[in-house]
Amino acid sequence: DVKVTQSSRYLVKRTGEKVFLECVQDMDHENMFWYRQDPGLGLRLIYFSYDVKMKEKGDIPEGYSVSREKKERFSLILESASTNQTSMYLCATRGSGGYNEQFFGPGTRLTVL
Amino acid sequence: KQEVTQIPAALSVPEGENLVLNCSFTDSAIYNLQWFRQDPGKGLTSLLLIQSSQREQTSGRLNASLDKSSGRSTLYIAASQPGDSATYLCAVRVPPGGGADGLTFGKGTHLIIQP
């Protein structure tokens, strides 16, 4: 079974802090994704990575950056957290090729005060 | 831009009933479609994946169909149980080169199965 873990289930930060959210997968998947989920807006793609050190912007990259130094680990960085970044953050992974499912981690509920 | 709509937004039915959840998408040029369930405060669990060339997929009491030309998919749940209560999400993947390579999600159907 694919296992996707996220560093924290719940996180509370203050406005202006630098925030790191980490995601680790154990299935040697090339593709990793960060989404945020908000009531009424659903899930939206922030960034994705298709290989080590490679990254692509998703639909809402503003205010975020990412890092992928190792294949199994994909980090989402909020350089200066703001209250409108309070959300549920979900990491996902997918193998290469077109016929693979996307698997999600348990999510991190981030609150920015 | 691809848009995914799920109807109804919420559904409450007695235990034992068969039910259908609907998903529609605006651009029929999809690579595949995936159904997920999400329990409150949790991540997403993959239920079924249908490739663009397939018409349906089955897993236990779940059956998902795909009509790509009309931009529709349905998730059929047979003999519903209280444990099926969750939010069900539909998501489509566009072909490579069609934009950001993630999934485009509907907003989900919140399902309650009454004991």
Side-chain angles (χ1 to χ4, degrees):
Chain A
D1 281 353
V2 175
K3 189 163 186 181
V4 184
T5 58
Q6 295 184 226
S7 49
S8 306
R9 290 301 309 277
Y10 301 94
L11 208 53
V12 180
K13 295 291 182 181
R14 299 215 172 265
T15 302
E17 281 193 72
K18 190 168 186 175
V19 182
F20 292 87
L21 303 181
E22 292 205 320
C23 175
V24 178
Q25 52 108 352
D26 68 353
M27 284 301 292
D28 203 35
H29 282 175
E30 289 77 10
N31 303 286
M32 297 187 76
F33 307 83
W34 277 106
Y35 295 85
R36 65 177 282 177
Q37 185 178 29
D38 300 285
L41 296 175
L43 278 94
R44 294 175 292 168
L45 180 65
I46 305 171
Y47 266 98
F48 69 100
S49 169
Y50 53 90
D51 203 349
V52 175
K53 297 191 185 294
M54 306 303 289
K55 61 185 179 183
E56 293 285 344
K57 293 180 180 178
D59 298 318
I60 51 163
E62 297 78 19
Y64 303 94
S65 62
V66 290
S67 172
R68 189 149 180 220
E69 296 297 319
K70 293 185 178 181
K71 191 174 186 179
E72 67 270 19
R73 188 180 299 268
F74 191 35
S75 300
L76 181 69
I77 304 158
L78 287 66
E79 293 289 343
S80 178
S82 63
T83 55
N84 63 14
Q85 293 178 310
T86 291
S87 186
M88 171 72 107
Y89 289 88
L90 292 156
C91 174
T93 181
R94 190 189 74 220
S96 61
Y99 302 104
N100 289 296
E101 296 172 75
Q102 203 161 119
F103 295 95
F104 281 78
T108 296
R109 171 72 66 184
L110 173 67
T111 301
V112 182
L113 303 175
Chain B
K1 185 184 174 189
Q2 179 75 267
E3 292 184 4
V4 180
T5 303
Q6 291 186 247
I7 294 173
L11 183 62
S12 180
V13 300
E15 179 178 4
E17 282 199 8
N18 303 324
L19 56 99
V20 174
L21 307 181
N22 295 293
C23 171
S24 61
F25 45 94
T26 54
D27 187 345
S28 62
I30 64 168
Y31 215 33
N32 55 44
L33 183 145
Q34 201 168 349
W35 282 94
F36 296 88
R37 72 172 277 168
Q38 185 177 30
D39 294 290
K42 302 287 180 64
L44 278 65
T45 300
S46 178
L47 297 173
L48 288 163
L49 173 73
I50 309 179
Q51 304 299 343
S52 61
S53 58
Q54 296 177 317
R55 294 299 297 251
E56 66 178 83
Q57 280 282 357
T58 298
S59 177
R61 294 183 294 107
L62 305 179
N63 176 277
S65 69
L66 174 64
D67 184 343
K68 203 174 78 157
S69 61
S70 67
R72 295 176 188 273
S73 176
T74 61
L75 180 67
Y76 175 83
I77 302 176
S80 57
Q81 303 170 358
D84 294 331
S85 298
T87 296
Y88 289 80
L89 294 155
C90 164
V92 299
R93 182 182 169 204
V94 298
D101 192 24
L103 295 173
T104 300
F105 282 85
K107 291 188 172 58
T109 293
H110 181 55
L111 177 64
I112 296 174
I113 307 298
Q114 306 154 10

PDB file of all heavy atoms in Angstrom, chain B residues 32-59:
ATOM      1  N   ASN B  32      -8.154  10.724 -17.294  1.00  0.00           N
ATOM      2  CA  ASN B  32      -8.874   9.770 -16.470  1.00  0.00           C
ATOM      3  C   ASN B  32      -9.725  10.526 -15.454  1.00  0.00           C
ATOM      4  O   ASN B  32      -9.649  11.757 -15.352  1.00  0.00           O
ATOM      5  CB  ASN B  32      -7.926   8.779 -15.761  1.00  0.00           C
ATOM      6  CG  ASN B  32      -6.861   9.450 -14.928  1.00  0.00           C
ATOM      7  OD1 ASN B  32      -7.130  10.384 -14.200  1.00  0.00           O
ATOM      8  ND2 ASN B  32      -5.639   8.957 -15.018  1.00  0.00           N
ATOM      9  N   LEU B  33     -10.546   9.780 -14.729  1.00  0.00           N
ATOM     10  CA  LEU B  33     -11.422  10.354 -13.710  1.00  0.00           C
ATOM     11  C   LEU B  33     -11.306   9.478 -12.474  1.00  0.00           C
ATOM     12  O   LEU B  33     -11.282   8.245 -12.572  1.00  0.00           O
ATOM     13  CB  LEU B  33     -12.869  10.399 -14.220  1.00  0.00           C
ATOM     14  CG  LEU B  33     -13.924  11.025 -13.314  1.00  0.00           C
ATOM     15  CD1 LEU B  33     -14.980  11.759 -14.143  1.00  0.00           C
ATOM     16  CD2 LEU B  33     -14.589  10.021 -12.412  1.00  0.00           C
ATOM     17  N   GLN B  34     -11.227  10.123 -11.326  1.00  0.00           N
ATOM     18  CA  GLN B  34     -11.031   9.398 -10.076  1.00  0.00           C
ATOM     19  C   GLN B  34     -12.096   9.814  -9.077  1.00  0.00           C
ATOM     20  O   GLN B  34     -12.410  11.010  -8.957  1.00  0.00           O
ATOM     21  CB  GLN B  34      -9.621   9.708  -9.537  1.00  0.00           C
ATOM     22  CG  GLN B  34      -9.072   8.702  -8.559  1.00  0.00           C
ATOM     23  CD  GLN B  34      -7.568   8.895  -8.295  1.00  0.00           C
ATOM     24  OE1 GLN B  34      -6.879   9.645  -8.991  1.00  0.00           O
ATOM     25  NE2 GLN B  34      -7.066   8.217  -7.273  1.00  0.00           N
ATOM     26  N   TRP B  35     -12.653   8.838  -8.373  1.00  0.00           N
ATOM     27  CA  TRP B  35     -13.583   9.093  -7.278  1.00  0.00           C
ATOM     28  C   TRP B  35     -12.868   8.849  -5.948  1.00  0.00           C
ATOM     29  O   TRP B  35     -12.125   7.867  -5.791  1.00  0.00           O
ATOM     30  CB  TRP B  35     -14.792   8.154  -7.365  1.00  0.00           C
ATOM     31  CG  TRP B  35     -15.807   8.556  -8.384  1.00  0.00           C
ATOM     32  CD1 TRP B  35     -15.901   8.131  -9.671  1.00  0.00           C
ATOM     33  CD2 TRP B  35     -16.904   9.463  -8.180  1.00  0.00           C
ATOM     34  NE1 TRP B  35     -16.975   8.712 -10.295  1.00  0.00           N
ATOM     35  CE2 TRP B  35     -17.626   9.532  -9.402  1.00  0.00           C
ATOM     36  CE3 TRP B  35     -17.354  10.224  -7.097  1.00  0.00           C
ATOM     37  CZ2 TRP B  35     -18.755  10.330  -9.560  1.00  0.00           C
ATOM     38  CZ3 TRP B  35     -18.481  11.012  -7.256  1.00  0.00           C
ATOM     39  CH2 TRP B  35     -19.165  11.058  -8.479  1.00  0.00           C
ATOM     40  N   PHE B  36     -13.130   9.764  -4.994  1.00  0.00           N
ATOM     41  CA  PHE B  36     -12.536   9.681  -3.664  1.00  0.00           C
ATOM     42  C   PHE B  36     -13.651   9.785  -2.617  1.00  0.00           C
ATOM     43  O   PHE B  36     -14.716  10.335  -2.880  1.00  0.00           O
ATOM     44  CB  PHE B  36     -11.589  10.867  -3.402  1.00  0.00           C
ATOM     45  CG  PHE B  36     -10.383  10.943  -4.288  1.00  0.00           C
ATOM     46  CD1 PHE B  36     -10.452  11.612  -5.505  1.00  0.00           C
ATOM     47  CD2 PHE B  36      -9.184  10.387  -3.906  1.00  0.00           C
ATOM     48  CE1 PHE B  36      -9.331  11.711  -6.325  1.00  0.00           C
ATOM     49  CE2 PHE B  36      -8.054  10.484  -4.711  1.00  0.00           C
ATOM     50  CZ  PHE B  36      -8.136  11.152  -5.926  1.00  0.00           C
ATOM     51  N   ARG B  37     -13.344   9.305  -1.416  1.00  0.00           N
ATOM     52  CA  ARG B  37     -14.171   9.651  -0.273  1.00  0.00           C
ATOM     53  C   ARG B  37     -13.291  10.375   0.751  1.00  0.00           C
ATOM     54  O   ARG B  37     -12.071  10.121   0.836  1.00  0.00           O
ATOM     55  CB  ARG B  37     -14.855   8.442   0.358  1.00  0.00           C
ATOM     56  CG  ARG B  37     -13.970   7.501   1.120  1.00  0.00           C
ATOM     57  CD  ARG B  37     -14.792   6.445   1.881  1.00  0.00           C
ATOM     58  NE  ARG B  37     -15.284   6.930   3.155  1.00  0.00           N
ATOM     59  CZ  ARG B  37     -16.209   6.298   3.887  1.00  0.00           C
ATOM     60  NH1 ARG B  37     -16.747   5.175   3.448  1.00  0.00           N
ATOM     61  NH2 ARG B  37     -16.599   6.782   5.054  1.00  0.00           N
ATOM     62  N   GLN B  38     -13.939  11.269   1.488  1.00  0.00           N
ATOM     63  CA  GLN B  38     -13.228  12.005   2.519  1.00  0.00           C
ATOM     64  C   GLN B  38     -14.072  12.009   3.782  1.00  0.00           C
ATOM     65  O   GLN B  38     -15.208  12.479   3.773  1.00  0.00           O
ATOM     66  CB  GLN B  38     -12.932  13.450   2.071  1.00  0.00           C
ATOM     67  CG  GLN B  38     -12.070  14.221   3.066  1.00  0.00           C
ATOM     68  CD  GLN B  38     -11.720  15.606   2.579  1.00  0.00           C
ATOM     69  OE1 GLN B  38     -12.472  16.236   1.845  1.00  0.00           O
ATOM     70  NE2 GLN B  38     -10.548  16.113   2.994  1.00  0.00           N
ATOM     71  N   ASP B  39     -13.506  11.509   4.856  1.00  0.00           N
ATOM     72  CA  ASP B  39     -14.161  11.573   6.161  1.00  0.00           C
ATOM     73  C   ASP B  39     -13.795  12.897   6.812  1.00  0.00           C
ATOM     74  O   ASP B  39     -12.743  13.487   6.509  1.00  0.00           O
ATOM     75  CB  ASP B  39     -13.724  10.386   7.005  1.00  0.00           C
ATOM     76  CG  ASP B  39     -14.233   9.075   6.409  1.00  0.00           C
ATOM     77  OD1 ASP B  39     -15.457   8.850   6.469  1.00  0.00           O
ATOM     78  OD2 ASP B  39     -13.422   8.312   5.846  1.00  0.00           O
ATOM     79  N   PRO B  40     -14.637  13.379   7.736  1.00  0.00           N
ATOM     80  CA  PRO B  40     -14.425  14.714   8.318  1.00  0.00           C
ATOM     81  C   PRO B  40     -13.025  14.888   8.891  1.00  0.00           C
ATOM     82  O   PRO B  40     -12.558  14.069   9.684  1.00  0.00           O
ATOM     83  CB  PRO B  40     -15.496  14.784   9.409  1.00  0.00           C
ATOM     84  CG  PRO B  40     -16.577  13.879   8.937  1.00  0.00           C
ATOM     85  CD  PRO B  40     -15.871  12.747   8.236  1.00  0.00           C
ATOM     86  N   GLY B  41     -12.351  15.945   8.489  1.00  0.00           N
ATOM     87  CA  GLY B  41     -11.026  16.274   9.010  1.00  0.00           C
ATOM     88  C   GLY B  41      -9.907  15.372   8.540  1.00  0.00           C
ATOM     89  O   GLY B  41      -8.787  15.443   9.068  1.00  0.00           O
ATOM     90  N   LYS B  42     -10.188  14.523   7.563  1.00  0.00           N
ATOM     91  CA  LYS B  42      -9.178  13.559   7.114  1.00  0.00           C
ATOM     92  C   LYS B  42      -8.758  13.820   5.671  1.00  0.00           C
ATOM     93  O   LYS B  42      -9.321  14.691   4.988  1.00  0.00           O
ATOM     94  CB  LYS B  42      -9.755  12.132   7.217  1.00  0.00           C
ATOM     95  CG  LYS B  42     -10.223  11.745   8.611  1.00  0.00           C
ATOM     96  CD  LYS B  42      -9.066  11.495   9.533  1.00  0.00           C
ATOM     97  CE  LYS B  42      -9.493  11.115  10.936  1.00  0.00           C
ATOM     98  NZ  LYS B  42     -10.234   9.841  10.974  1.00  0.00           N
ATOM     99  N   GLY B  43      -7.783  13.028   5.219  1.00  0.00           N
ATOM    100  CA  GLY B  43      -7.369  13.108   3.828  1.00  0.00           C
ATOM    101  C   GLY B  43      -8.340  12.371   2.917  1.00  0.00           C
ATOM    102  O   GLY B  43      -9.404  11.934   3.343  1.00  0.00           O
ATOM    103  N   LEU B  44      -7.965  12.248   1.656  1.00  0.00           N
ATOM    104  CA  LEU B  44      -8.822  11.605   0.663  1.00  0.00           C
ATOM    105  C   LEU B  44      -8.409  10.144   0.476  1.00  0.00           C
ATOM    106  O   LEU B  44      -7.222   9.838   0.409  1.00  0.00           O
ATOM    107  CB  LEU B  44      -8.709  12.327  -0.682  1.00  0.00           C
ATOM    108  CG  LEU B  44      -9.541  13.581  -0.895  1.00  0.00           C
ATOM    109  CD1 LEU B  44      -9.126  14.699   0.036  1.00  0.00           C
ATOM    110  CD2 LEU B  44      -9.463  14.020  -2.342  1.00  0.00           C
ATOM    111  N   THR B  45      -9.417   9.292   0.350  1.00  0.00           N
ATOM    112  CA  THR B  45      -9.176   7.881   0.066  1.00  0.00           C
ATOM    113  C   THR B  45      -9.649   7.592  -1.346  1.00  0.00           C
ATOM    114  O   THR B  45     -10.811   7.858  -1.680  1.00  0.00           O
ATOM    115  CB  THR B  45      -9.937   6.987   1.060  1.00  0.00           C
ATOM    116  OG1 THR B  45      -9.492   7.272   2.387  1.00  0.00           O
ATOM    117  CG2 THR B  45      -9.712   5.521   0.748  1.00  0.00           C
ATOM    118  N   SER B  46      -8.760   7.051  -2.175  1.00  0.00           N
ATOM    119  CA  SER B  46      -9.133   6.736  -3.548  1.00  0.00           C
ATOM    120  C   SER B  46     -10.085   5.547  -3.576  1.00  0.00           C
ATOM    121  O   SER B  46      -9.844   4.522  -2.934  1.00  0.00           O
ATOM    122  CB  SER B  46      -7.873   6.416  -4.356  1.00  0.00           C
ATOM    123  OG  SER B  46      -8.211   6.066  -5.683  1.00  0.00           O
ATOM    124  N   LEU B  47     -11.171   5.697  -4.335  1.00  0.00           N
ATOM    125  CA  LEU B  47     -12.166   4.623  -4.465  1.00  0.00           C
ATOM    126  C   LEU B  47     -12.037   3.902  -5.799  1.00  0.00           C
ATOM    127  O   LEU B  47     -11.947   2.678  -5.858  1.00  0.00           O
ATOM    128  CB  LEU B  47     -13.574   5.194  -4.328  1.00  0.00           C
ATOM    129  CG  LEU B  47     -13.920   5.833  -2.992  1.00  0.00           C
ATOM    130  CD1 LEU B  47     -15.297   6.498  -3.066  1.00  0.00           C
ATOM    131  CD2 LEU B  47     -13.886   4.811  -1.876  1.00  0.00           C
ATOM    132  N   LEU B  48     -12.074   4.676  -6.876  1.00  0.00           N
ATOM    133  CA  LEU B  48     -12.057   4.092  -8.211  1.00  0.00           C
ATOM    134  C   LEU B  48     -11.384   5.055  -9.160  1.00  0.00           C
ATOM    135  O   LEU B  48     -11.537   6.275  -9.035  1.00  0.00           O
ATOM    136  CB  LEU B  48     -13.488   3.816  -8.707  1.00  0.00           C
ATOM    137  CG  LEU B  48     -14.240   2.662  -8.043  1.00  0.00           C
ATOM    138  CD1 LEU B  48     -15.735   2.785  -8.325  1.00  0.00           C
ATOM    139  CD2 LEU B  48     -13.715   1.328  -8.539  1.00  0.00           C
ATOM    140  N   LEU B  49     -10.677   4.489 -10.137  1.00  0.00           N
ATOM    141  CA  LEU B  49     -10.073   5.273 -11.208  1.00  0.00           C
ATOM    142  C   LEU B  49     -10.586   4.723 -12.526  1.00  0.00           C
ATOM    143  O   LEU B  49     -10.530   3.503 -12.757  1.00  0.00           O
ATOM    144  CB  LEU B  49      -8.553   5.155 -11.153  1.00  0.00           C
ATOM    145  CG  LEU B  49      -7.774   5.776 -12.312  1.00  0.00           C
ATOM    146  CD1 LEU B  49      -7.795   7.288 -12.210  1.00  0.00           C
ATOM    147  CD2 LEU B  49      -6.338   5.270 -12.338  1.00  0.00           C
ATOM    148  N   ILE B  50     -11.118   5.597 -13.385  1.00  0.00           N
ATOM    149  CA  ILE B  50     -11.578   5.175 -14.700  1.00  0.00           C
ATOM    150  C   ILE B  50     -10.727   5.878 -15.741  1.00  0.00           C
ATOM    151  O   ILE B  50     -10.640   7.118 -15.763  1.00  0.00           O
ATOM    152  CB  ILE B  50     -13.048   5.556 -14.956  1.00  0.00           C
ATOM    153  CG1 ILE B  50     -13.943   5.090 -13.825  1.00  0.00           C
ATOM    154  CG2 ILE B  50     -13.531   4.946 -16.267  1.00  0.00           C
ATOM    155  CD1 ILE B  50     -15.401   5.463 -14.039  1.00  0.00           C
ATOM    156  N   GLN B  51     -10.116   5.101 -16.621  1.00  0.00           N
ATOM    157  CA  GLN B  51      -9.355   5.699 -17.711  1.00  0.00           C
ATOM    158  C   GLN B  51     -10.317   6.234 -18.764  1.00  0.00           C
ATOM    159  O   GLN B  51     -11.466   5.795 -18.856  1.00  0.00           O
ATOM    160  CB  GLN B  51      -8.413   4.664 -18.336  1.00  0.00           C
ATOM    161  CG  GLN B  51      -7.460   4.010 -17.360  1.00  0.00           C
ATOM    162  CD  GLN B  51      -6.529   4.995 -16.688  1.00  0.00           C
ATOM    163  OE1 GLN B  51      -6.349   6.137 -17.149  1.00  0.00           O
ATOM    164  NE2 GLN B  51      -5.944   4.588 -15.586  1.00  0.00           N
ATOM    165  N   SER B  52      -9.844   7.156 -19.592  1.00  0.00           N
ATOM    166  CA  SER B  52     -10.717   7.795 -20.580  1.00  0.00           C
ATOM    167  C   SER B  52     -11.271   6.798 -21.589  1.00  0.00           C
ATOM    168  O   SER B  52     -12.336   7.023 -22.171  1.00  0.00           O
ATOM    169  CB  SER B  52      -9.965   8.909 -21.309  1.00  0.00           C
ATOM    170  OG  SER B  52      -8.847   8.370 -21.989  1.00  0.00           O
ATOM    171  N   SER B  53     -10.583   5.681 -21.775  1.00  0.00           N
ATOM    172  CA  SER B  53     -11.036   4.674 -22.741  1.00  0.00           C
ATOM    173  C   SER B  53     -12.015   3.670 -22.137  1.00  0.00           C
ATOM    174  O   SER B  53     -12.561   2.827 -22.849  1.00  0.00           O
ATOM    175  CB  SER B  53      -9.831   3.913 -23.294  1.00  0.00           C
ATOM    176  OG  SER B  53      -9.128   3.302 -22.225  1.00  0.00           O
ATOM    177  N   GLN B  54     -12.230   3.746 -20.821  1.00  0.00           N
ATOM    178  CA  GLN B  54     -13.111   2.798 -20.150  1.00  0.00           C
ATOM    179  C   GLN B  54     -14.501   3.374 -19.971  1.00  0.00           C
ATOM    180  O   GLN B  54     -14.689   4.596 -19.952  1.00  0.00           O
ATOM    181  CB  GLN B  54     -12.523   2.423 -18.790  1.00  0.00           C
ATOM    182  CG  GLN B  54     -11.191   1.691 -18.892  1.00  0.00           C
ATOM    183  CD  GLN B  54     -10.592   1.403 -17.535  1.00  0.00           C
ATOM    184  OE1 GLN B  54     -10.603   2.254 -16.643  1.00  0.00           O
ATOM    185  NE2 GLN B  54     -10.045   0.205 -17.369  1.00  0.00           N
ATOM    186  N   ARG B  55     -15.475   2.480 -19.778  1.00  0.00           N
ATOM    187  CA  ARG B  55     -16.847   2.916 -19.540  1.00  0.00           C
ATOM    188  C   ARG B  55     -17.244   2.776 -18.084  1.00  0.00           C
ATOM    189  O   ARG B  55     -18.124   3.508 -17.606  1.00  0.00           O
ATOM    190  CB  ARG B  55     -17.812   2.101 -20.413  1.00  0.00           C
ATOM    191  CG  ARG B  55     -17.670   2.345 -21.899  1.00  0.00           C
ATOM    192  CD  ARG B  55     -17.941   3.785 -22.223  1.00  0.00           C
ATOM    193  NE  ARG B  55     -19.303   4.177 -21.903  1.00  0.00           N
ATOM    194  CZ  ARG B  55     -20.222   4.428 -22.825  1.00  0.00           C
ATOM    195  NH1 ARG B  55     -19.932   4.328 -24.097  1.00  0.00           N
ATOM    196  NH2 ARG B  55     -21.433   4.791 -22.471  1.00  0.00           N
ATOM    197  N   GLU B  56     -16.651   1.802 -17.386  1.00  0.00           N
ATOM    198  CA  GLU B  56     -16.984   1.645 -15.982  1.00  0.00           C
ATOM    199  C   GLU B  56     -15.915   0.863 -15.239  1.00  0.00           C
ATOM    200  O   GLU B  56     -15.098   0.171 -15.841  1.00  0.00           O
ATOM    201  CB  GLU B  56     -18.352   0.984 -15.799  1.00  0.00           C
ATOM    202  CG  GLU B  56     -18.462  -0.440 -16.261  1.00  0.00           C
ATOM    203  CD  GLU B  56     -19.870  -0.965 -15.975  1.00  0.00           C
ATOM    204  OE1 GLU B  56     -20.780  -0.712 -16.780  1.00  0.00           O
ATOM    205  OE2 GLU B  56     -20.046  -1.619 -14.938  1.00  0.00           O
ATOM    206  N   GLN B  57     -15.972   1.023 -13.891  1.00  0.00           N
ATOM    207  CA  GLN B  57     -15.099   0.290 -12.988  1.00  0.00           C
ATOM    208  C   GLN B  57     -15.916  -0.095 -11.777  1.00  0.00           C
ATOM    209  O   GLN B  57     -16.791   0.651 -11.343  1.00  0.00           O
ATOM    210  CB  GLN B  57     -13.914   1.149 -12.540  1.00  0.00           C
ATOM    211  CG  GLN B  57     -12.795   1.256 -13.530  1.00  0.00           C
ATOM    212  CD  GLN B  57     -11.908   0.033 -13.567  1.00  0.00           C
ATOM    213  OE1 GLN B  57     -12.094  -0.910 -12.803  1.00  0.00           O
ATOM    214  NE2 GLN B  57     -10.955   0.035 -14.474  1.00  0.00           N
ATOM    215  N   THR B  58     -15.584  -1.258 -11.222  1.00  0.00           N
ATOM    216  CA  THR B  58     -16.336  -1.765 -10.072  1.00  0.00           C
ATOM    217  C   THR B  58     -15.373  -2.148  -8.963  1.00  0.00           C
ATOM    218  O   THR B  58     -14.298  -2.694  -9.218  1.00  0.00           O
ATOM    219  CB  THR B  58     -17.185  -2.977 -10.467  1.00  0.00           C
ATOM    220  OG1 THR B  58     -18.130  -2.566 -11.459  1.00  0.00           O
ATOM    221  CG2 THR B  58     -17.925  -3.547  -9.273  1.00  0.00           C
ATOM    222  N   SER B  59     -15.797  -1.847  -7.728  1.00  0.00           N
ATOM    223  CA  SER B  59     -15.048  -2.288  -6.558  1.00  0.00           C
ATOM    224  C   SER B  59     -16.047  -2.558  -5.451  1.00  0.00           C
ATOM    225  O   SER B  59     -16.628  -1.635  -4.884  1.00  0.00           O
ATOM    226  CB  SER B  59     -14.050  -1.226  -6.124  1.00  0.00           C
ATOM    227  OG  SER B  59     -13.380  -1.625  -4.942  1.00  0.00           O
TER     228      SER B  59
END
